[in-house]
Amino acid sequence: MLVAAAANLGIAVAKAVAGVISGSSAMLSEAAHSVADTVTELMLLVALKRGGKPADEDHPLGHGAERYIWALLAAVATFVGGAVFSFYDGIHTLVEGEELGDPLVSYIVLGVAVLLEGYSLRTGVRQARGEAARFGVRFRTYLRHTPDTAVKAVVLEDTAALAGLVLAAGGLLGGQLTGSGVWDGLASVLIGTLLLYVAWVLGRSNAELLIGRALPVPVRERIRAELLAVEHIEAVLELTTLVQGPRQALVAAKVDFRDVATAAQVEWACETAEQRLREAFPAIGRVYLDPTPGYAQRREEGLNPWP
Protein backbone atom coordinates (compact mmCIF):
# COMPACT_ATOMS: atom_id res chain seq x y z
CA MET A 1 0.00 0.00 0.00
CA LEU A 2 2.98 2.30 0.55
CA VAL A 3 4.01 1.74 -3.07
CA ALA A 4 0.48 2.57 -4.24
CA ALA A 5 0.48 5.74 -2.11
CA ALA A 6 3.84 6.81 -3.57
CA ALA A 7 2.56 6.13 -7.09
CA ASN A 8 -0.57 8.19 -6.42
CA LEU A 9 1.54 11.05 -5.11
CA GLY A 10 3.66 10.94 -8.25
CA ILE A 11 0.52 10.95 -10.41
CA ALA A 12 -0.80 13.91 -8.40
CA VAL A 13 2.36 15.91 -9.13
CA ALA A 14 2.19 15.01 -12.83
CA LYS A 15 -1.48 16.03 -13.00
CA ALA A 16 -0.74 19.33 -11.23
CA VAL A 17 2.06 20.16 -13.66
CA ALA A 18 -0.14 19.22 -16.62
CA GLY A 19 -2.97 21.29 -15.17
CA VAL A 20 -0.76 24.37 -14.89
CA ILE A 21 0.57 23.92 -18.44
CA SER A 22 -2.86 23.34 -19.99
CA GLY A 23 -4.74 25.74 -17.71
CA SER A 24 -7.27 22.97 -17.01
CA SER A 25 -9.25 23.14 -13.77
CA ALA A 26 -10.32 19.53 -14.32
CA MET A 27 -6.68 18.42 -14.30
CA LEU A 28 -6.06 20.38 -11.10
CA SER A 29 -9.14 18.72 -9.62
CA GLU A 30 -7.71 15.35 -10.62
CA ALA A 31 -4.45 16.33 -8.93
CA ALA A 32 -6.41 17.04 -5.74
CA HIS A 33 -8.20 13.72 -6.25
CA SER A 34 -4.86 11.87 -6.39
CA VAL A 35 -3.60 13.69 -3.28
CA ALA A 36 -6.79 12.66 -1.46
CA ASP A 37 -6.26 9.07 -2.62
CA THR A 38 -2.69 9.17 -1.30
CA VAL A 39 -3.84 10.37 2.12
CA THR A 40 -6.63 7.77 2.08
CA GLU A 41 -4.23 4.91 1.37
CA LEU A 42 -1.89 6.03 4.15
CA MET A 43 -4.80 6.18 6.60
CA LEU A 44 -6.02 2.75 5.49
CA LEU A 45 -2.53 1.42 6.11
CA VAL A 46 -2.65 2.86 9.63
CA ALA A 47 -6.11 1.32 10.03
CA LEU A 48 -4.81 -2.13 9.08
CA LYS A 49 -1.89 -1.83 11.51
CA ARG A 50 -3.88 -0.44 14.43
CA GLY A 51 -6.95 -2.60 13.93
CA GLY A 52 -4.90 -5.79 13.78
CA LYS A 53 -3.43 -5.40 17.27
CA PRO A 54 -4.38 -8.29 19.58
CA ALA A 55 -6.67 -7.95 22.58
CA ASP A 56 -5.08 -6.99 25.88
CA GLU A 57 -6.12 -6.32 29.45
CA ASP A 58 -7.16 -2.73 28.70
CA HIS A 59 -8.90 -3.67 25.43
CA PRO A 60 -10.41 -7.11 26.07
CA LEU A 61 -12.45 -7.08 22.84
CA GLY A 62 -9.46 -6.15 20.70
CA HIS A 63 -8.77 -3.12 18.52
CA GLY A 64 -10.88 -4.04 15.50
CA ALA A 65 -13.09 -0.96 15.79
CA GLU A 66 -10.06 1.32 15.46
CA ARG A 67 -9.84 0.23 11.83
CA TYR A 68 -13.16 1.94 11.18
CA ILE A 69 -12.09 5.16 12.89
CA TRP A 70 -9.14 5.59 10.54
CA ALA A 71 -11.21 4.49 7.55
CA LEU A 72 -13.79 7.13 8.48
CA LEU A 73 -11.04 9.76 8.62
CA ALA A 74 -9.94 8.57 5.18
CA ALA A 75 -13.46 9.24 3.87
CA VAL A 76 -13.31 12.72 5.38
CA ALA A 77 -9.95 13.27 3.65
CA THR A 78 -11.53 12.30 0.33
CA PHE A 79 -14.27 14.86 0.90
CA VAL A 80 -12.07 17.72 2.11
CA GLY A 81 -9.03 17.07 -0.08
CA GLY A 82 -10.84 16.16 -3.26
CA ALA A 83 -14.50 17.12 -3.43
CA VAL A 84 -14.26 20.58 -1.84
CA PHE A 85 -11.31 21.66 -4.01
CA SER A 86 -12.94 20.28 -7.17
CA PHE A 87 -16.18 22.14 -6.48
CA TYR A 88 -14.34 25.37 -5.75
CA ASP A 89 -12.08 25.19 -8.79
CA GLY A 90 -14.90 24.13 -11.11
CA ILE A 91 -17.28 26.87 -9.99
CA HIS A 92 -14.47 29.45 -10.17
CA THR A 93 -13.76 28.38 -13.76
CA LEU A 94 -17.44 28.54 -14.71
CA VAL A 95 -17.76 32.04 -13.26
CA GLU A 96 -14.40 33.58 -14.17
CA GLY A 97 -13.44 31.49 -17.20
CA GLU A 98 -9.94 30.22 -17.94
CA GLU A 99 -7.20 30.52 -20.54
CA LEU A 100 -6.62 27.17 -22.21
CA GLY A 101 -3.05 26.09 -22.97
CA ASP A 102 -1.56 23.07 -24.74
CA PRO A 103 -3.49 19.96 -23.62
CA LEU A 104 -0.96 17.43 -25.00
CA VAL A 105 0.86 16.91 -21.69
CA SER A 106 -2.50 16.48 -19.93
CA TYR A 107 -3.58 13.79 -22.40
CA ILE A 108 -0.31 11.90 -21.87
CA VAL A 109 -0.64 12.08 -18.08
CA LEU A 110 -4.27 10.97 -18.25
CA GLY A 111 -3.34 8.03 -20.47
CA VAL A 112 -0.65 6.82 -18.07
CA ALA A 113 -2.97 7.35 -15.10
CA VAL A 114 -5.73 5.28 -16.77
CA LEU A 115 -3.33 2.35 -17.16
CA LEU A 116 -2.16 2.53 -13.54
CA GLU A 117 -5.63 3.02 -12.04
CA GLY A 118 -7.07 0.30 -14.27
CA TYR A 119 -4.48 -2.19 -13.04
CA SER A 120 -5.14 -1.20 -9.42
CA LEU A 121 -8.91 -1.55 -9.90
CA ARG A 122 -8.46 -4.96 -11.55
CA THR A 123 -6.45 -6.15 -8.53
CA GLY A 124 -9.00 -4.81 -6.05
CA VAL A 125 -11.98 -6.30 -7.91
CA ARG A 126 -10.25 -9.67 -8.14
CA GLN A 127 -9.68 -9.69 -4.39
CA ALA A 128 -13.27 -8.66 -3.68
CA ARG A 129 -14.66 -11.28 -6.07
CA GLY A 130 -12.58 -13.94 -4.35
CA GLU A 131 -13.98 -12.93 -0.96
CA ALA A 132 -17.52 -12.87 -2.36
CA ALA A 133 -17.07 -16.38 -3.76
CA ARG A 134 -15.72 -17.58 -0.41
CA PHE A 135 -18.87 -16.35 1.33
CA GLY A 136 -21.13 -17.58 -1.47
CA VAL A 137 -22.66 -14.19 -2.27
CA ARG A 138 -22.78 -11.98 -5.34
CA PHE A 139 -20.02 -9.44 -5.88
CA ARG A 140 -22.32 -6.42 -5.48
CA THR A 141 -23.88 -7.90 -2.33
CA TYR A 142 -20.45 -8.49 -0.80
CA LEU A 143 -19.28 -4.98 -1.67
CA ARG A 144 -22.42 -3.45 -0.17
CA HIS A 145 -22.33 -5.34 3.14
CA THR A 146 -18.69 -6.30 3.72
CA PRO A 147 -17.22 -5.20 7.07
CA ASP A 148 -13.82 -5.00 5.34
CA THR A 149 -14.15 -1.34 4.43
CA ALA A 150 -10.53 -1.20 3.25
CA VAL A 151 -11.36 -3.46 0.29
CA LYS A 152 -14.53 -1.47 -0.33
CA ALA A 153 -12.56 1.79 -0.27
CA VAL A 154 -9.99 0.52 -2.77
CA VAL A 155 -12.64 -0.65 -5.26
CA LEU A 156 -14.78 2.50 -4.97
CA GLU A 157 -11.87 4.93 -5.08
CA ASP A 158 -10.22 3.23 -8.05
CA THR A 159 -13.56 3.20 -9.87
CA ALA A 160 -14.01 6.88 -9.06
CA ALA A 161 -10.44 7.56 -10.19
CA LEU A 162 -11.08 6.02 -13.62
CA ALA A 163 -14.38 7.89 -13.96
CA GLY A 164 -12.64 11.12 -12.93
CA LEU A 165 -9.96 10.61 -15.56
CA VAL A 166 -12.63 10.14 -18.23
CA LEU A 167 -14.39 13.32 -17.07
CA ALA A 168 -11.13 15.28 -17.11
CA ALA A 169 -10.37 14.07 -20.63
CA GLY A 170 -13.89 15.05 -21.70
CA GLY A 171 -13.44 18.52 -20.23
CA LEU A 172 -10.12 18.95 -22.03
CA LEU A 173 -11.55 17.74 -25.33
CA GLY A 174 -14.66 19.94 -25.00
CA GLY A 175 -12.52 23.00 -24.30
CA GLN A 176 -10.18 22.16 -27.19
CA LEU A 177 -13.04 21.78 -29.67
CA THR A 178 -15.09 24.81 -28.57
CA GLY A 179 -12.44 27.11 -27.14
CA SER A 180 -14.60 27.53 -24.03
CA GLY A 181 -13.57 26.75 -20.46
CA VAL A 182 -17.15 25.84 -19.54
CA TRP A 183 -16.57 22.18 -20.37
CA ASP A 184 -13.50 22.05 -18.18
CA GLY A 185 -15.27 23.75 -15.29
CA LEU A 186 -18.22 21.41 -15.65
CA ALA A 187 -15.89 18.40 -15.63
CA SER A 188 -14.31 19.68 -12.42
CA VAL A 189 -17.73 20.03 -10.73
CA LEU A 190 -18.68 16.51 -11.84
CA ILE A 191 -15.40 15.17 -10.41
CA GLY A 192 -16.25 16.88 -7.12
CA THR A 193 -19.73 15.32 -7.17
CA LEU A 194 -18.20 11.90 -7.77
CA LEU A 195 -15.78 12.31 -4.87
CA LEU A 196 -18.58 13.56 -2.64
CA TYR A 197 -20.57 10.40 -3.38
CA VAL A 198 -17.60 8.11 -2.64
CA ALA A 199 -16.87 9.95 0.62
CA TRP A 200 -20.53 9.68 1.66
CA VAL A 201 -20.75 5.93 0.93
CA LEU A 202 -17.51 5.13 2.76
CA GLY A 203 -18.31 7.46 5.64
CA ARG A 204 -21.74 5.91 6.12
CA SER A 205 -20.34 2.36 6.01
CA ASN A 206 -17.66 3.07 8.61
CA ALA A 207 -20.00 5.05 10.87
CA GLU A 208 -22.49 2.17 10.82
CA LEU A 209 -19.80 -0.28 11.91
CA LEU A 210 -18.54 2.07 14.61
CA ILE A 211 -22.05 2.41 16.03
CA GLY A 212 -22.37 -1.37 16.04
CA ARG A 213 -23.75 -3.55 13.26
CA ALA A 214 -25.22 -7.02 13.65
CA LEU A 215 -24.32 -9.96 11.46
CA PRO A 216 -26.58 -10.42 8.39
CA VAL A 217 -30.02 -11.97 8.92
CA PRO A 218 -29.19 -15.31 7.20
CA VAL A 219 -26.13 -15.67 9.43
CA ARG A 220 -28.16 -14.91 12.55
CA GLU A 221 -30.73 -17.51 11.54
CA ARG A 222 -27.97 -20.08 11.04
CA ILE A 223 -26.50 -19.22 14.46
CA ARG A 224 -29.90 -19.70 16.08
CA ALA A 225 -30.29 -23.07 14.31
CA GLU A 226 -26.82 -24.19 15.43
CA LEU A 227 -27.66 -23.32 19.04
CA LEU A 228 -30.98 -25.14 18.95
CA ALA A 229 -29.23 -28.23 17.55
CA VAL A 230 -27.20 -28.57 20.75
CA GLU A 231 -28.46 -31.12 23.27
CA HIS A 232 -30.12 -29.65 26.38
CA ILE A 233 -30.87 -26.29 24.67
CA GLU A 234 -34.62 -25.83 24.29
CA ALA A 235 -34.93 -22.24 23.08
CA VAL A 236 -32.93 -19.15 22.15
CA LEU A 237 -34.79 -16.34 23.89
CA GLU A 238 -32.60 -13.47 22.71
CA LEU A 239 -29.73 -13.34 20.23
CA THR A 240 -27.28 -10.47 19.90
CA THR A 241 -24.46 -10.36 17.35
CA LEU A 242 -21.87 -7.68 16.75
CA VAL A 243 -19.35 -7.15 13.95
CA GLN A 244 -16.02 -6.22 15.55
CA GLY A 245 -13.83 -6.27 12.46
CA PRO A 246 -13.55 -7.73 8.95
CA ARG A 247 -13.08 -11.22 10.39
CA GLN A 248 -14.18 -10.72 13.97
CA ALA A 249 -17.65 -11.14 15.43
CA LEU A 250 -19.22 -11.55 18.85
CA VAL A 251 -22.29 -13.66 19.70
CA ALA A 252 -24.29 -13.32 22.92
CA ALA A 253 -27.54 -15.13 23.64
CA LYS A 254 -30.06 -15.75 26.40
CA VAL A 255 -30.65 -19.51 26.25
CA ASP A 256 -33.32 -21.68 27.87
CA PHE A 257 -31.80 -25.02 28.90
CA ARG A 258 -33.79 -28.14 29.79
CA ASP A 259 -35.01 -27.82 33.36
CA VAL A 260 -33.77 -31.32 34.21
CA ALA A 261 -30.26 -30.65 32.86
CA THR A 262 -27.51 -30.75 35.46
CA ALA A 263 -24.97 -27.99 35.94
CA ALA A 264 -22.34 -30.14 34.21
CA GLN A 265 -24.64 -30.77 31.25
CA VAL A 266 -25.30 -27.03 30.91
CA GLU A 267 -21.56 -26.33 30.97
CA TRP A 268 -20.83 -28.92 28.29
CA ALA A 269 -23.77 -27.69 26.21
CA CYS A 270 -22.23 -24.21 26.26
CA GLU A 271 -18.86 -25.62 25.18
CA THR A 272 -20.48 -27.62 22.40
CA ALA A 273 -22.47 -24.63 21.20
CA GLU A 274 -19.36 -22.44 21.05
CA GLN A 275 -17.47 -25.13 19.13
CA ARG A 276 -20.30 -25.55 16.61
CA LEU A 277 -20.54 -21.82 16.00
CA ARG A 278 -16.80 -21.40 15.49
CA GLU A 279 -16.70 -24.33 13.09
CA ALA A 280 -19.62 -22.92 11.10
CA PHE A 281 -18.34 -19.31 11.23
CA PRO A 282 -14.58 -18.99 11.87
CA ALA A 283 -14.97 -15.20 12.23
CA ILE A 284 -16.88 -15.68 15.51
CA GLY A 285 -14.26 -15.14 18.16
CA ARG A 286 -16.36 -14.74 21.29
CA VAL A 287 -19.53 -16.56 22.35
CA TYR A 288 -21.40 -15.67 25.54
CA LEU A 289 -24.42 -17.76 26.57
CA ASP A 290 -26.65 -16.69 29.44
CA PRO A 291 -28.81 -19.50 30.96
CA THR A 292 -32.26 -17.93 31.27
CA PRO A 293 -35.60 -19.42 32.39
CA GLY A 294 -38.03 -19.97 29.53
CA TYR A 295 -41.34 -18.16 29.10
CA ALA A 296 -43.47 -20.94 30.64
CA GLN A 297 -41.19 -21.30 33.66
CA ARG A 298 -41.18 -17.56 34.25
CA ARG A 299 -44.98 -17.48 34.22
CA GLU A 300 -45.09 -20.31 36.72
CA GLU A 301 -42.76 -18.38 39.00
CA GLY A 302 -44.84 -15.22 38.56
CA LEU A 303 -42.00 -13.41 36.78
CA ASN A 304 -42.09 -11.15 33.76
CA PRO A 305 -42.26 -13.59 30.80
CA TRP A 306 -40.01 -11.27 28.73
CA PRO A 307 -36.45 -11.45 30.06
Side-chain angles (χ1 to χ4, degrees), residues 121-181:
L121 177 61
R122 178 173 173 268
T123 303
V125 169
R126 180 179 294 177
Q127 179 182 351
R129 286 190 184 280
E131 290 293 306
R134 190 166 69 88
F135 288 107
V137 298
R138 293 183 302 172
F139 171 72
R140 292 182 63 181
T141 302
Y142 170 79
L143 204 61
R144 186 180 302 114
H145 298 290
T146 178
D148 193 347
T149 53
V151 172
K152 187 173 186 174
V154 169
V155 172
L156 287 180
E157 288 178 356
D158 286 346
T159 302
L162 281 174
L165 293 171
V166 172
L167 290 171
L172 283 170
L173 183 60
Q176 189 178 6
L177 294 176
T178 64
S180 172

Side-chain angles (χ1 to χ4, degrees), residues 1-303:
M1 194 167 284
L2 281 174
V3 175
N8 263 327
L9 186 59
I11 292 172
V13 173
K15 287 177 179 177
V17 172
V20 171
I21 293 174
S22 64
S24 169
S25 64
M27 284 301 297
L28 293 177
S29 295
E30 273 300 297
H33 185 174
S34 293
V35 170
D37 283 351
T38 302
V39 174
T40 295
E41 285 172 351
L42 291 175
M43 286 188 173
L44 290 178
L45 182 61
V46 174
L48 292 174
K49 293 289 186 182
R50 300 283 298 179
K53 293 171 61 178
D56 53 40
E57 187 175 350
D58 294 327
H59 305 87
L61 297 182
H63 297 74
E66 188 168 356
R67 177 190 297 255
Y68 301 125
I69 294 175
W70 286 97
L72 181 61
L73 291 176
V76 173
T78 298
F79 171 72
V80 175
V84 172
F85 178 84
S86 297
F87 278 126
Y88 168 78
D89 204 39
I91 293 172
H92 181 269
T93 298
L94 290 173
V95 174
E96 301 293 336
E98 65 181 8
E99 293 184 7
L100 299 176
D102 186 0
L104 178 60
V105 176
S106 295
Y107 284 131
I108 294 174
V109 171
L110 288 175
V112 173
V114 165
L115 293 177
L116 295 175
E117 296 290 358
Y119 178 77
S120 178
L121 177 61
R122 178 173 173 268
T123 303
V125 169
R126 180 179 294 177
Q127 179 182 351
R129 286 190 184 280
E131 290 293 306
R134 190 166 69 88
F135 288 107
V137 298
R138 293 183 302 172
F139 171 72
R140 292 182 63 181
T141 302
Y142 170 79
L143 204 61
R144 186 180 302 114
H145 298 290
T146 178
D148 193 347
T149 53
V151 172
K152 187 173 186 174
V154 169
V155 172
L156 287 180
E157 288 178 356
D158 286 346
T159 302
L162 281 174
L165 293 171
V166 172
L167 290 171
L172 283 170
L173 183 60
Q176 189 178 6
L177 294 176
T178 64
S180 172
V182 171
W183 294 99
D184 202 49
L186 181 60
S188 185
V189 171
L190 290 176
I191 291 170
T193 303
L194 184 65
L195 290 174
L196 179 62
Y197 173 75
V198 171
W200 176 73
V201 171
L202 294 177
R204 183 186 62 177
S205 298
N206 286 289
E208 184 182 57
L209 288 161
L210 279 172
I211 293 169
R213 194 178 80 186
L215 291 170
V217 173
V219 177
R220 299 203 299 268
E221 291 176 350
R222 174 77 183 281
I223 289 173
R224 189 180 294 273
E226 290 289 344
L227 291 175
L228 291 174
V230 175
E231 187 180 6
H232 303 300
I233 291 182
E234 290 193 339
V236 178
L237 306 177
E238 183 180 322
L239 177 64
T240 301
T241 63
L242 179 65
V243 175
Q244 296 182 293
R247 291 175 179 83
Q248 301 174 41
L250 177 147
V251 173
K254 288 182 176 292
V255 177
D256 179 20
F257 291 90
R258 292 174 59 238
D259 294 339
V260 296
T262 64
Q265 288 173 328
V266 170
E267 291 173 350
W268 280 110
C270 290
E271 287 295 315
T272 302
E274 183 172 352
Q275 183 178 355
R276 289 179 66 103
L277 291 180
R278 287 182 171 175
E279 288 176 355
F281 304 101
I284 294 178
R286 294 174 178 82
V287 178
Y288 301 107
L289 301 180
D290 178 14
T292 305
Y295 302 134
Q297 184 178 352
R298 295 179 73 86
R299 288 195 185 95
E300 289 176 2
E301 299 293 333
L303 301 174

